[in-house]
Amino acid sequence: MAEATSTLDALEIGSSRLELVRGDITAQSVDAIVNAANSSLMGGGGVDGAIHRKGGPAILEACRAVRARQGRLATGDAVATTAGELDARWVIHTVGPVYNGGDAREPELLASCYRRSLEVARELGATSVAFPSVSTGIYGYPVEPAAAVALSTVREQAVLEGSPALLRFVLFDQHTYDAYAAALGRLGSAG
Ligand code: AR6
């Protein structure tokens, strides 16, 4: 008998809610918006380009200050700046791994992006955080395994830390949304 595929668009984890929406992350009203940046922190294409365009020059200026203070941002690390004109208090820039076949610590580095972003969010006191699908665009990480890493890491953090209250993945296209919904279904049914 064929097994039914169950997808999920939200999961309650203690006092936190993990939810999936399809849309544009720059249109979100949340405390912190996570950016899929690169180590230079000087902007780029994809979600990074959209965040800088809509947030305005204050974000790049703040990124320059971070560069001057601490240099390039390592893959798997995260740092916060102002959100400029976005409807958020902070942008948390993280650098995902470039996918290179899967044996170059990509899952570990991708998990680190979400863990570090949440650590930074908690330090700031953010209660709502929006994430894009880090690494699955220009950096070429296949979306199915990336979704599993992203969601299990964020869930694990919510279980361990009990915050932030809202963890929202904002997925830009239907294929990415569907992959996350399937991965969340597997996570939910695994208990
Ligand atoms: N809202 C939500 N998701 C978006 C948006 C948006 N406005 N725009 C794109 N996406 P990518 P990466 C999705 O390429 O793979 C940049 O040049 C996109 O469809 O933005 O981590 C940086 O500077 C995909 O599902 O990030 C780096 O050099 C996901 O966001 C490099 O790209 C991630 O795609 C980082 O590449």
Side-chain angles (χ1 to χ4, degrees):
M1 206 173 79
E3 236 178 75
T5 331
S6 63
T7 60
L8 265 187
D9 59 10
L11 191 62
E12 304 294 334
I13 308 158
S15 54
S16 297
R17 176 180 167 84
L18 197 177
E19 65 182 29
L20 311 180
V21 301
R22 188 169 164 203
D24 180 347
I25 203 166
T26 67
Q28 302 297 310
S29 305
V30 284
D31 284 346
I33 290 176
V34 174
N35 181 20
N38 62 65
S39 289
S40 81
L41 292 175
M42 292 297 107
V47 71
D48 195 8
I51 284 173
H52 281 278
R53 265 195 309 280
K54 189 141 171 216
I59 300 178
L60 189 58
E61 198 182 308
C63 284
R64 287 192 203 286
V66 171
R67 277 294 300 264
R69 192 172 71 230
Q70 66 184 58
R72 295 172 73 84
L73 190 64
T75 302
D77 201 359
V79 71
T81 66
T82 175
E85 291 161 33
L86 295 172
D87 191 11
R89 297 173 71 185
W90 304 283
V91 170
I92 298 175
H93 308 264
T94 191
V95 183
V98 175
Y99 192 76
N100 193 18
D103 295 328
R105 297 173 56 231
E106 292 97 329
E108 186 184 324
L109 290 165
L110 186 62
S112 172
C113 286
Y114 291 99
R115 256 198 315 273
R116 280 289 300 135
S117 294
L118 283 169
E119 216 167 82
V120 169
R122 284 194 305 270
E123 280 165 17
L124 292 166
T127 62
S128 51
V129 180
F131 300 94
S133 176
V134 176
S135 279
T136 66
I138 293 164
Y139 280 180
Y141 206 125
V143 67
E144 282 79 13
V149 168
L151 294 171
S152 61
T153 305
V154 167
R155 181 176 72 164
E156 177 193 81
Q157 285 296 298
V159 168
L160 289 173
E161 305 290 343
S163 67
L166 179 64
L167 304 153
R168 178 183 293 157
F169 279 83
V170 182
L171 295 328
F172 205 47
D173 59 88
Q174 192 63 43
H175 174 72
T176 303
Y177 180 89
D178 291 345
Y180 274 73
L184 194 59
R186 283 190 292 273
L187 207 59
S189 61

